[in-house]
Amino acid sequence: MRLKKLLVVCLLVTAPAHANEIDNLVNASQDIRNTFKYGIQAIAGSESYAAQGLIAPDGTVTKGLLDKVKQDAYNAAVLAVQNQNYTYDPNSQQYFEDQASTAMDVVSETIDAYVDAAQVLIEVATVNEMAVDASGAEDDRQAMALQEYIAANDVTLEDQEVEQYNDALVAVHEATQVAAAYMAVANDESLQDLADEMAFDLRVTYQEAASVFFDAATQSVWISFDGGETIQGLNLSNYYASVEEILVEGEQMPFFQSSQESGCWFAADPEACYEDLYGG
């Protein structure tokens, strides 16, 4: 018996808050539908038998008549539902967290592609370092070493290599824009509130989102819940960093500090150089 009581308590706790109003409307409207169904059947049968000369007895449609009790119960149930405050969570936060995570994976992939494409510029950096040494040398030995290096290595830039490098750099830029846009929404409750409101107006959740994309021209994230026929936008114009801020930030990041352009790659003691410039 105690187990049964506990089960009842659990059911009462976990039942939706609106269940009573909805259940009452289900029961009241179904009661009227049953009466309606009876009336239709009675009419159909009476018509058919009338054509055959058979008379429906008195009281045939009595059970199909609506009474005041059913009317009042239905109207009261409708009013209760109408006055209830229903809501749900479209869950934009989880959606944009997932989108941001996926977009950051794409950023990593584009950076890997950039590193591959940048190998030709590493050769240019090497040639530049050797040329700088040769220009300040007292004799031509450094210049001769530069000539030998050029002869032994493919250091010229081909059109295809330049195009691949430029495309790779632009791809990283565009990928970081997308990831940053989704991350901005995932990290900002005010943007999530706007996103939830858009979905709520359409009575959808973000699990039902058909597509999402960032458009740099409008500085907005656009979401479609119906395959693109209509889209909803979140403006992110206040979430841009300046170019100067990005370059200052980049100078502090390991990707730059460990690169050929950090100032330490060609140093006699790179580790000591890193320590001096970046503190380790």
Side-chain angles (χ1 to χ4, degrees):
M1 179 62 71
R2 183 177 182 184
L3 179 59
K4 290 183 179 180
K5 288 182 178 179
L6 288 174
L7 179 59
V8 170
V9 169
C10 290
L11 291 175
L12 289 174
V13 170
T14 58
H18 63 265
N20 188 51
E21 291 81 11
I22 296 295
D23 288 346
N24 287 343
L25 182 57
V26 167
N27 294 332
S29 59
Q30 186 62 54
D31 198 11
I32 289 180
R33 287 192 67 183
N34 293 340
T35 302
F36 181 38
K37 177 182 177 181
Y38 181 93
I40 294 173
Q41 284 184 269
I43 288 174
S46 297
E47 179 193 25
S48 177
Y49 278 126
Q52 302 173 49
L54 295 174
I55 302 170
D58 290 344
T60 297
V61 299
T62 300
K63 290 184 178 180
L65 300 175
L66 292 174
D67 58 38
K68 185 64 172 174
V69 174
K70 290 185 176 67
Q71 176 189 356
D72 290 346
Y74 172 73
N75 288 341
V78 168
L79 184 62
V81 170
Q82 187 176 7
N83 292 335
Q84 184 58 256
N85 182 26
Y86 299 113
T87 188
Y88 69 96
D89 182 11
N91 203 12
S92 64
Q93 181 179 11
Q94 185 62 56
Y95 177 78
F96 281 102
E97 285 178 355
D98 293 342
Q99 292 296 324
S101 177
T102 300
M104 287 303 298
D105 289 341
V106 174
V107 170
S108 295
E109 293 171 3
T110 59
I111 289 177
D112 289 343
Y114 169 80
V115 170
D116 290 340
Q119 295 306 305
V120 294
L121 295 193
I122 294 177
E123 286 293 349
V124 174
T126 301
V127 168
N128 173 260
E129 289 288 332
M130 296 182 71
V132 169
D133 290 343
S135 69
E138 296 181 355
D139 55 40
D140 289 342
R141 284 176 293 176
Q142 295 290 345
M144 293 170 64
L146 175 59
Q147 279 184 325
E148 292 171 358
Y149 185 86
I150 292 174
N153 296 276
D154 182 13
V155 299
T156 57
L157 290 174
E158 303 298 331
D159 291 345
Q160 182 180 3
E161 293 171 331
V162 171
E163 182 178 357
Q164 288 176 342
Y165 175 81
N166 289 340
D167 288 347
L169 180 57
V170 170
V172 173
H173 171 61
E174 292 176 347
T176 59
Q177 283 187 315
V178 172
Y182 297 155
M183 196 70 74
V185 181
N187 291 337
D188 192 310
E189 290 186 3
S190 63
L191 285 175
Q192 292 164 24
D193 289 343
L194 289 174
D196 284 339
E197 184 177 339
M198 292 190 309
F200 193 82
D201 289 343
L202 296 172
R203 299 297 184 264
V204 294
T205 70
Y206 277 86
Q207 288 182 325
E208 302 166 66
S211 61
V212 61
F213 64 92
F214 171 72
D215 178 49
T218 58
Q219 300 183 344
S220 298
V221 167
W222 297 93
I223 310 102
S224 173
F225 295 95
D226 58 9
E229 293 184 19
T230 59
I231 55 177
Q232 313 291 317
L234 292 169
N235 185 271
L236 302 177
S237 57
N238 293 329
Y239 295 82
Y240 275 73
S242 68
V243 173
E244 291 76 14
E245 288 172 327
I246 288 171
L247 294 179
V248 170
E249 180 77 5
E251 194 173 21
Q252 310 305 315
M253 296 298 102
F255 184 77
F256 173 79
Q257 293 180 359
S258 62
S259 75
Q260 292 76 14
E261 299 306 321
S262 66
C264 292
W265 183 273
F266 297 99
D269 188 346
E271 291 187 6
C273 177
Y274 292 144
E275 181 68 30
D276 291 340
L277 286 180
Y278 307 114

